[in-house]
Amino acid sequence: MRLLFTLLILVLVTGCSAVDMKRYSANEPQLDLFEYFSGNTTGWGIVQDRKGALIRRFVVEVVGEVTENGQLVLREKFEWSDGELSDRTWILSQQDNHRFTGTADDVLDQADGVLYGNVLNWQYQLMLQVEDSSWKIKFDDWMFLVSEDMLINKATMSKFGFKVGEVTIVFRK
């Protein structure tokens, strides 16, 4: 019974700890997601395991284009430190002044994002290929515009509610 009570308290405490995005409203410079990623952007990143050990490094070249119907298409080409090449195409849509959605072939359903000031938070599930199997991994993805040409992206990956790793990317226009 004591274990059940402890787990219930833990769920309640962590369930109430969401960041109020409105706190970032006045942060400068303001992030215009479509403007920042239009054209060519380069990102340098690392993947770490749940303990913080470096697993992989990568460079990603991103080409963004706003379509006639107002969506942002991001074509990402990854070059991994082990020589692997991969790509992903995101299609992003703005729902209102603060909410965005995104889809990609390996994203389950859609990514949901909230943007205030210079901070964007995405929530989504991604199917990651791990050796001979696919894992459904939840991403809590944060983007922080630190200057007009530099954006830092930090994503926590989890499975069954447990942290399995982190991805950090520095993007430069």
Side-chain angles (χ1 to χ4, degrees):
M1 185 66 165
R2 178 181 248 170
L3 177 62
L4 181 61
F5 180 73
T6 303
L7 288 173
L8 179 62
I9 294 298
L10 182 62
V11 168
L12 290 173
V13 169
T14 58
C16 298
S17 63
V19 174
D20 180 6
M21 293 294 290
K22 292 178 185 173
R23 71 186 301 172
Y24 303 117
S25 294
N27 284 11
E28 296 288 336
Q30 295 278 306
L31 174 58
D32 180 329
L33 187 63
F34 283 32
E35 180 181 313
Y36 185 83
F37 281 106
S38 288
N40 298 318
T41 308
T42 302
W44 297 265
I46 59 172
V47 179
Q48 296 171 276
D49 69 13
R50 64 184 176 87
K51 294 181 180 179
L54 180 65
I55 298 173
R56 295 174 91 185
R57 296 173 289 116
F58 62 90
V59 176
V60 58
E61 297 293 338
V62 182
V63 177
E65 177 184 2
V66 178
T67 65
E68 290 178 8
N69 62 357
Q71 294 178 310
L72 175 62
V73 176
L74 297 177
R75 290 179 177 79
E76 301 174 328
K77 296 204 174 289
F78 294 86
E79 184 175 333
W80 296 88
S81 55
D82 60 8
E84 180 186 349
L85 301 175
S86 62
D87 57 36
R88 174 179 296 116
T89 299
W90 282 96
I91 299 173
L92 306 181
S93 300
Q94 186 165 359
Q95 304 304 305
D96 61 32
N97 287 340
H98 302 285
R99 293 183 315 112
F100 294 82
T101 58
T103 60
D105 286 343
D106 53 355
V107 172
L108 299 174
D109 194 24
Q110 70 181 19
D112 293 305
V114 178
L115 186 152
Y116 279 88
N118 67 337
V119 179
L120 172 65
N121 177 227
W122 286 107
Q123 303 283 325
Y124 55 95
Q125 290 188 35
L126 189 71
M127 290 303 294
L128 283 180
Q129 189 67 32
V130 179
E131 296 176 5
D132 294 332
S133 62
S134 292
W135 292 9
K136 185 183 343 180
I137 302 293
K138 181 180 181 205
F139 276 72
D140 184 15
D141 199 339
W142 291 84
M143 295 182 168
F144 305 90
L145 185 64
V146 294
S147 70
E148 294 296 330
D149 64 345
M150 187 170 292
L151 184 136
I152 298 173
N153 186 180
K154 184 167 178 101
T156 301
M157 300 179 291
S158 61
K159 185 168 179 65
F160 304 123
F162 295 99
K163 178 180 170 182
V164 295
E166 291 184 335
V167 177
T168 306
I169 311 171
V170 175
F171 286 104
R172 185 160 204 137
K173 279 302 279 177

